Amino acid sequence: MILDAKAPTGPLSQKWDKAKFDLKLVNPANKRKYKVLVVGTGLAGASAAATLAELGYEVSAFCFQDSPRRAHSIAAQGGINAAKNYQNDGDSIQRLFYDTIKGGDFRAREANVYRLAQVSVNIIDQCVAQGVPFAREYGGLLANRSFGGAQVSRTFYARGQTGQQLLLGAYSALSRQIGKGTVKMYPRTEMLDLVVVDGHAKGIITRNLVTGKIEAHNGDAVILATGGYSNVYYLSTNAQGCNVTAIWRAYKKGAAMANPCYTQIHPTCIPVTGDHQSKLTLMSESLRNDGRVWVPKKPADPRPISEIPEDERDYFLERKYPSFGNLAPRDISSRSAKEACDAGLGVGPGGRGVYLDFADSIKRLGEDKIRERYGNLFQMYEKITGENAYKQPMRIYPALHYTMGGLWVDYNLMSNLPGLFVLGEANFSDHGANRLGASALMQGLADGYFVIPYTIGNYFATDKSKRPATDHAEFKKALAEIEARTKQLLSIKGKRTPTSLHHQLGKVMWDKCGMGRNDAGLREALAEIPNIREEFWKNVNVTGESADFNQALERAGRVADFLEFGELLVRDALHRTESCGGHFREESQTPDGEALRDDANFSYVAAWEYKGDNATPELHKEPLVYEEVKMSTRSYK
């Protein structure tokens, strides 16, 4: 396998302009001859489907929700970055680029990140034109707030509902195309396999989640915009339906999986309360603009919060990272919270929490101003915990949130499998080993609105392969494999639910490959996961029938894929014996406990190639070369 990033030559600031000029074009009258299958209708998928249809392509869009409006993008809270410099505080495209490269611990592809920073300024204009209700200053200008890993205010927001409002904007554009007949929408439809014909991605196999019908769909190209895989850990901030199936099936058909060990722990989540939970709840990073993070200096301090004086509180982020304080990046803030709790200073049940305190901000600004900025978040917190965060500090603890790894793509967002494009969180491209807050929405919309419309045209203009009919041998083979797998799942009739096995996998993943990772734990996980997988295929109980609405069957298929993917994630973490971003190897840290990179040996993208169910995947390396920035020790002090 040859990993050619296809990054354009020339100065970094001119690469995207050069690429757009060099890319081959499809004449407008010919665009309607090409059919694109878009899987996933969150920000990346909905924006791509709408834009491609507007250009004239025939588009079929698929989502497993009942409506694109329910995509997990809707859950994003705090904001979207753009280098507009409305605050006149020193921001620029160059600074956003550098903050993103540094935030990712120098493990992202330089050309892709610079393009993201460039395109960011267009995204805001696009969304304002769609009517997205961004917050505004008194004079009517768009407001900005700060986020972790930056010393400027560049994050545009709509209270704590930014993802929802952006998704409604993309959905409105998509709905227009559905109404015109240029997009055919398939809701409640899950992709179960990718069809590859003569080395090119030319179709997908789906299951109608209402009727159970398994169908083949052909196209000239396939776009996967199916989100991340955090639910391999069982408990995460992701919706329960989020899964790895689409990109995992693509991996098993030849697409390389890049950096799967780069998983992000978000520092600002409501702590776990017990084994009964099926997911965790995010509290937006924007809260750290006005909330101060602290723990008592005295272990297991029994006093009420109000009786703990200032000099007996450890505002540990402000102490350790004075330049960034409570807005230190997510990976660093998460490990600091874990360190405090491991030292016995945690608060709440089991000592697995730290305080996020708004008392100073309320005193300075007034409760009304805090309510105006974060009211829906405080309301959500009170509904879940029964605690009023205006009167006492929130309790927060890190949780799995976002995944920086995903299918490998080149500069054009095409995987190593021709005709298979991957957008948003489903690819690996922009965030390196750690995503800065407010960059996920930016990437999803950049990929869908401003990158894929150019790059997919180049594929069509240069590809000579034809769209196969759905009675082609490869489609028949894929259909038969899916039907056999479904029959096998329903025939086991064991004693355990798919959920119980997923929970067991998640515990291994969190304990052995979570915030802290070490050689012994990772090797134990590699031994334990195959045992859980064997138990699954011997003892799972999937009730119901195939040709029917069957959520147990849906879950079983997704858990089966998590059980395979989890092993690859751990294998990737084991091979990378450095610490970088969200991947923290306990054997590789500085004397003061910070991540210690090994640039001499690990400055590359790790891309894994599937070699068979019982074979070890093969590692391929894409070297990371920096022309504009110099790799340096990542410091926020």
Side-chain angles (χ1 to χ4, degrees), residues 132-265:
V132 173
F134 287 119
R136 293 180 180 268
E137 302 287 5
Y138 177 77
L141 297 176
L142 296 182
N144 290 116
R145 58 171 45 144
S146 300
F147 255 63
Q151 291 179 305
V152 297
S153 295
R154 64 162 67 101
T155 304
F156 295 78
Y157 63 98
R159 296 190 75 179
Q161 308 169 353
T162 313
Q164 178 179 357
Q165 300 304 329
L166 290 171
L167 185 61
L168 288 173
Y171 175 67
S172 67
L174 177 60
S175 294
R176 177 172 180 268
Q177 299 302 325
I178 295 171
K180 290 174 62 179
T182 52
V183 172
K184 186 172 183 180
M185 188 69 223
Y186 293 85
R188 301 297 290 148
T189 303
E190 182 167 27
M191 172 182 158
L192 296 181
D193 209 353
L194 180 73
V195 179
V196 179
V197 178
D198 297 328
H200 290 248
K202 292 296 180 183
I204 61 174
I205 306 299
T206 64
R207 180 175 184 269
N208 183 308
L209 299 181
V210 177
T211 67
K213 185 178 181 181
I214 296 175
E215 296 180 289
H217 300 269
N218 63 343
D220 296 289
V222 177
I223 294 174
L224 298 185
T226 52
Y229 48 81
S230 285
N231 280 350
V232 69
Y233 288 83
Y234 185 71
L235 285 180
S236 83
T237 65
N238 285 195
Q240 280 198 63
C242 296
N243 62 80
V244 76
T245 291
I247 63 171
W248 185 247
R249 301 298 171 84
Y251 163 76
K252 295 183 79 169
K253 286 298 178 73
M257 186 73 72
N259 299 336
C261 77
Y262 289 167
T263 53
Q264 181 173 78
I265 317 287

Side-chain angles (χ1 to χ4, degrees), residues 9 38 65 194 292 308 316 359 402 404 434 459 504 570 600:
T9 57
V38 180
Q65 299 92 350
L194 180 73
R292 301 178 71 193
I308 302 176
F316 55 87
Y402 187 89
M404 287 75 68
N434 172 62
Y459 171 70
Q504 186 178 351
V570 173

Side-chain angles (χ1 to χ4, degrees), residues 36-53 59-63 65 68-69 71-73 166-167 169-171 173-175 177-178 183-185 222-227 413 421-427 440-441 443-449 452-453:
V36 184
L37 308 180
V38 180
V39 186
T41 53
L43 285 180
S47 59
T51 307
L52 292 174
V59 178
S60 292
F62 304 81
C63 70
Q65 299 92 350
R69 290 172 298 174
H72 188 62
S73 300
L166 290 171
L167 185 61
Y171 175 67
L174 177 60
S175 294
Q177 299 302 325
I178 295 171
V183 172
K184 186 172 183 180
M185 188 69 223
V222 177
I223 294 174
L224 298 185
T226 52
L413 302 184
F421 294 83
V422 192
L423 313 186
E425 191 177 358
N427 75 32
L441 305 183
Q443 185 206 351
L445 293 179
D447 288 356
Y449 282 137
I452 195 64

Side-chain angles (χ1 to χ4, degrees), residues 4-8 16 18-27 30-31 34 36 52 55 57 115 200 202 220-221 223 410-415 418-421 451-465:
D4 180 4
K6 295 186 172 66
W16 180 226
K18 182 178 187 302
K20 287 188 290 185
F21 182 76
D22 290 343
L23 291 170
K24 304 297 182 184
L25 301 178
V26 177
N27 146 348
N30 287 336
K31 286 188 171 77
Y34 294 100
V36 184
L52 292 174
L55 287 172
Y57 295 106
R115 177 177 63 191
H200 290 248
K202 292 296 180 183
D220 296 289
I223 294 174
D410 62 19
Y411 187 75
N412 295 328
L413 302 184
M414 189 165 73
S415 73
L420 178 65
F421 294 83
V451 179
I452 195 64
Y454 286 95
T455 60
I456 200 169
N458 182 72
Y459 171 70
F460 290 144
T462 57
D463 173 45
K464 301 305 179 186
S465 62

Side-chain angles (χ1 to χ4, degrees), residues 259-262 519 522-523 526 568-578 583 585 601-602 604-608 619-621:
N259 299 336
C261 77
Y262 289 167
D519 185 86
L522 292 170
R523 293 185 186 280
L526 276 182
L568 180 65
L569 192 160
V570 173
R571 189 178 299 279
D572 186 45
L574 180 63
H575 110 274
R576 190 171 284 274
T577 57
E578 66 164 353
H583 170 65
R585 284 294 292 264
N601 295 303
F602 290 99
Y604 59 78
V605 176
W608 297 89
L619 174 63
H620 301 273
K621 301 175 182 179

Side-chain angles (χ1 to χ4, degrees), residues 107-379:
R107 289 293 178 265
R109 188 188 292 145
E110 189 180 59
N112 287 67
V113 177
Y114 195 90
R115 177 177 63 191
L116 179 65
Q118 283 179 295
V119 169
S120 71
V121 299
N122 303 117
I123 296 171
I124 302 304
D125 298 337
Q126 169 91 1
C127 294
V128 169
Q130 290 175 334
V132 173
F134 287 119
R136 293 180 180 268
E137 302 287 5
Y138 177 77
L141 297 176
L142 296 182
N144 290 116
R145 58 171 45 144
S146 300
F147 255 63
Q151 291 179 305
V152 297
S153 295
R154 64 162 67 101
T155 304
F156 295 78
Y157 63 98
R159 296 190 75 179
Q161 308 169 353
T162 313
Q164 178 179 357
Q165 300 304 329
L166 290 171
L167 185 61
L168 288 173
Y171 175 67
S172 67
L174 177 60
S175 294
R176 177 172 180 268
Q177 299 302 325
I178 295 171
K180 290 174 62 179
T182 52
V183 172
K184 186 172 183 180
M185 188 69 223
Y186 293 85
R188 301 297 290 148
T189 303
E190 182 167 27
M191 172 182 158
L192 296 181
D193 209 353
L194 180 73
V195 179
V196 179
V197 178
D198 297 328
H200 290 248
K202 292 296 180 183
I204 61 174
I205 306 299
T206 64
R207 180 175 184 269
N208 183 308
L209 299 181
V210 177
T211 67
K213 185 178 181 181
I214 296 175
E215 296 180 289
H217 300 269
N218 63 343
D220 296 289
V222 177
I223 294 174
L224 298 185
T226 52
Y229 48 81
S230 285
N231 280 350
V232 69
Y233 288 83
Y234 185 71
L235 285 180
S236 83
T237 65
N238 285 195
Q240 280 198 63
C242 296
N243 62 80
V244 76
T245 291
I247 63 171
W248 185 247
R249 301 298 171 84
Y251 163 76
K252 295 183 79 169
K253 286 298 178 73
M257 186 73 72
N259 299 336
C261 77
Y262 289 167
T263 53
Q264 181 173 78
I265 317 287
H266 196 294
T268 316
C269 302
I270 298 178
V272 178
T273 58
D275 287 342
H276 64 282
Q277 283 185 264
S278 58
K279 77 176 298 294
L280 297 174
T281 303
L282 172 70
M283 289 283 101
S284 170
E285 181 176 304
S286 64
L287 292 167
R288 292 195 280 148
N289 274 290
D290 290 303
R292 301 178 71 193
V293 179
W294 65 276
V295 291
K297 291 182 178 179
K298 179 182 177 181
D301 197 319
R303 292 175 292 178
I305 300 165
S306 60
E307 295 180 11
I308 302 176
E310 281 289 308
D311 61 355
E312 294 184 39
R313 301 180 179 189
D314 181 12
Y315 294 92
F316 55 87
L317 292 178
E318 298 173 27
R319 170 176 55 83
K320 294 171 67 176
Y321 308 103
S323 294
F324 286 76
N326 295 296
L327 287 173
R330 291 176 178 178
D331 58 322
I332 289 171
S333 301
S334 294
R335 285 197 296 273
S336 294
K338 178 180 184 292
E339 181 183 293
C341 293
D342 288 349
L345 302 174
V347 301
R352 291 283 114 182
V354 300
Y355 289 130
L356 182 60
D357 195 340
F358 293 85
D360 286 354
S361 294
I362 290 173
K363 183 178 179 180
R364 184 179 76 255
L365 301 170
E367 185 176 315
D368 287 348
K369 178 58 70 173
I370 299 300
R371 193 180 299 274
E372 177 187 319
R373 291 177 179 176
Y374 314 110
N376 61 312
L377 297 171
F378 277 63
Q379 183 183 35

